[in-house]
Amino acid sequence: RGFALKTIQKIIYDKEFDMLGAMEEHLLELEKQRADTEALIRTVKKTIQSMKGECEMSDRERFQALKEKAVHANEEAYGVEARKKYGDDQIHESNRKMLNMTEVQWDRFMELEKAILQRLEECVKKGVSADSAEAKEIVAMHKEWLCMTWKQYSVEAHKGVAAMYVADERFTKYYDRNVTGCAKLLNKAVQHWL
């Protein structure tokens, strides 16, 4: 992974640009990524050994493996795009927040995801509008869910993510998997209420 386009522009056009500082920052980021990757490798190896009956995993280790699997799946599906759009630091911190969740936090995170989808489906079936009180509640739940993994929250970023749900067919397919129109309702509600 190299420098972001903005950094490259500064290197090219700004004679005052601190190349040494940028390289040191980049090295730190790469070392963080390496540490995360090494931790994931250790967990996957231990999971394989456990599945083969070669060792026993504690509940804590199994829970950590579950979180690491979720982070890895997200990185595989969206990592490159997310890093281009939001930067390595933002994605790294988001992954770190997820990996550091307690079981209570993880359960809440998963519960919110399920509840958001269920409420969206109910609202679409009933023809509830994006400016309704029900839609406002879904937006609040969605904000809470995002804040559980985001380094910092902003209305603009929230609106951008919601817009992506209808612009990118992968997200639309995820939200509309049972009832068509859920992604559209969530986007309209977020744009209206924020």
Side-chain angles (χ1 to χ4, degrees):
R1 298 171 209 241
F3 287 115
L5 288 177
K6 288 178 185 176
T7 305
I8 293 170
Q9 281 181 318
K10 284 182 182 179
I11 292 169
I12 294 170
Y13 298 112
D14 186 354
K15 292 178 182 167
E16 302 293 317
F17 183 75
D18 178 13
M19 179 61 112
L20 177 60
M23 292 299 289
E24 288 172 339
E25 255 183 63
H26 186 58
L27 178 60
L28 286 174
E29 183 58 38
L30 290 171
E31 287 173 342
K32 284 181 196 175
Q33 290 173 15
R34 179 180 63 195
D36 289 348
T37 301
E38 287 171 352
L40 181 58
I41 289 169
R42 282 191 302 274
T43 302
V44 170
K45 282 181 177 179
K46 182 117 184 199
T47 303
I48 291 169
Q49 290 173 334
S50 175
M51 293 171 90
K52 289 180 175 179
E54 296 171 0
C55 75
E56 188 78 23
M57 284 182 80
S58 68
D59 288 343
R60 185 173 168 267
E61 289 171 321
R62 277 194 284 279
F63 175 59
Q64 191 63 27
L66 172 74
K67 293 186 294 184
E68 289 175 2
K69 182 179 176 185
V71 166
H72 181 70
N74 193 53
E75 279 284 344
E76 286 287 311
Y78 312 109
V80 172
E81 293 166 80
R83 288 176 185 282
K84 282 181 184 175
K85 186 166 186 164
Y86 302 109
D88 285 336
D89 186 52
Q90 286 284 89
I91 303 307
H92 176 74
E93 288 305 314
S94 178
N95 290 344
R96 185 175 298 286
K97 277 185 86 170
M98 184 176 278
L99 291 171
N100 288 333
M101 282 183 187
T102 65
E103 286 189 56
V104 170
Q105 291 168 326
W106 179 262
D107 288 345
R108 177 64 180 158
F109 183 69
M110 299 308 287
E111 174 187 297
L112 274 170
E113 180 179 24
K114 184 178 177 182
I116 290 165
L117 286 167
Q118 185 176 17
R119 296 278 302 273
L120 282 168
E121 290 171 2
E122 291 167 3
C123 286
V124 169
K125 286 178 185 176
K126 293 190 298 187
V128 172
S129 67
D131 61 353
S132 67
E134 293 97 327
K136 184 178 182 181
E137 289 174 14
I138 293 170
V139 171
M141 291 167 54
H142 191 251
K143 178 182 177 182
E144 180 186 350
W145 182 74
L146 291 174
C147 287
M148 293 185 79
T149 59
W150 282 12
K151 183 177 180 179
Q152 71 183 73
Y153 175 85
S154 77
V155 169
E156 296 77 27
H158 193 164
K159 286 181 172 184
V161 165
M164 188 172 56
Y165 293 163
V166 292
D168 186 320
E169 66 184 38
R170 294 171 299 173
F171 290 105
T172 304
K173 187 176 179 180
Y174 171 80
Y175 280 98
D176 289 4
R177 66 179 176 242
N178 296 321
V179 178
T180 302
C182 292
K184 186 176 179 181
L185 176 60
L186 180 55
N187 177 49
K188 283 185 173 181
V190 166
Q191 304 308 326
H192 176 78
W193 288 107
L194 294 180

